[in-house]
Amino acid sequence: EDVVDNEVVAHELAHQWFGDSVTPATWRDIWLSEGFATFGEFLWFEADYGAGAMEAYAENLYSALVGHETRPISDPGVGELFGVGVYWRGGLTLHALRKEVGDDLMKDILTTYHARFRHGNAATADFIAVAEEVSGRDLGEFFAAWLDEVALPPYPG
């Protein structure tokens, strides 16, 4: 019997919008595909099992990353292009952004980003620009901590 985990299905379905419709401009931007698909897993857990289950899932990924030194996901290098940093930290970056700006603005950020770049390519700077434009906030320090540093920022609370 073939068994497919629902989170894998959610991950792959999220790629229809983030990874396929909006494709990373360069390999350095791969988190825009894999991190977004991992965030799709978070949203599936929340829709299917509730916010508590989604938080537990996110916290488990975060705990697994603690002490796991990876290159910054803004420049993962060839060896970590498809490593846990890109997937898990990328998803956690979006989870943290959602907590930073709130659900309504997060939805607006994602829909604006997809609408603006669908059927094309986008770079990390493009996503950051949309997030700042939609939220009306300077998110430079936030994104630098999550994307450019080796050290993992605190779990978003």
Side-chain angles (χ1 to χ4, degrees):
E1 177 180 324
D2 291 331
V3 177
V4 177
D5 292 328
N6 287 337
E7 62 267 20
V8 173
V9 173
H11 180 102
E12 297 307 327
L13 286 173
H15 276 310
Q16 290 184 70
W17 296 273
F18 305 105
D20 297 341
S21 178
V22 179
T23 304
T26 71
W27 285 110
R28 285 183 172 205
D29 304 306
I30 193 67
W31 83 276
L32 293 172
S33 177
E34 300 305 341
F36 275 62
T38 300
F39 185 63
E41 296 172 30
F42 292 11
L43 297 177
W44 171 80
F45 266 98
E46 183 175 39
D48 217 33
Y49 298 114
M54 182 269 299
E55 272 306 322
Y57 186 70
E59 287 175 6
N60 284 339
L61 294 185
Y62 183 89
S63 294
L65 283 176
V66 172
H68 185 86
E69 200 167 303
T70 61
R71 290 175 51 102
I73 62 174
S74 61
D75 184 15
V78 173
E80 292 184 35
L81 273 179
F82 294 98
V84 295
V86 168
Y87 284 75
W88 296 352
R89 188 165 174 163
L92 287 164
T93 298
L94 295 167
H95 181 61
L97 179 62
R98 180 183 181 191
K99 289 190 172 209
E100 183 77 19
V101 301
D103 287 348
D104 291 340
L105 282 177
M106 186 64 175
K107 181 180 177 187
D108 290 347
I109 288 167
L110 293 176
T111 56
T112 300
Y113 171 68
H114 180 262
R116 192 167 292 167
F117 294 98
R118 71 178 169 201
H119 309 306
N121 304 98
T124 297
D126 296 322
F127 178 70
I128 293 171
V130 168
E132 290 183 333
E133 172 191 327
V134 171
S135 70
R137 296 177 53 189
D138 178 352
L139 297 168
E141 287 184 25
F142 170 87
F143 281 111
W146 280 97
L147 302 176
D148 301 330
E149 302 296 327
V150 171
L152 192 62
Y155 184 80

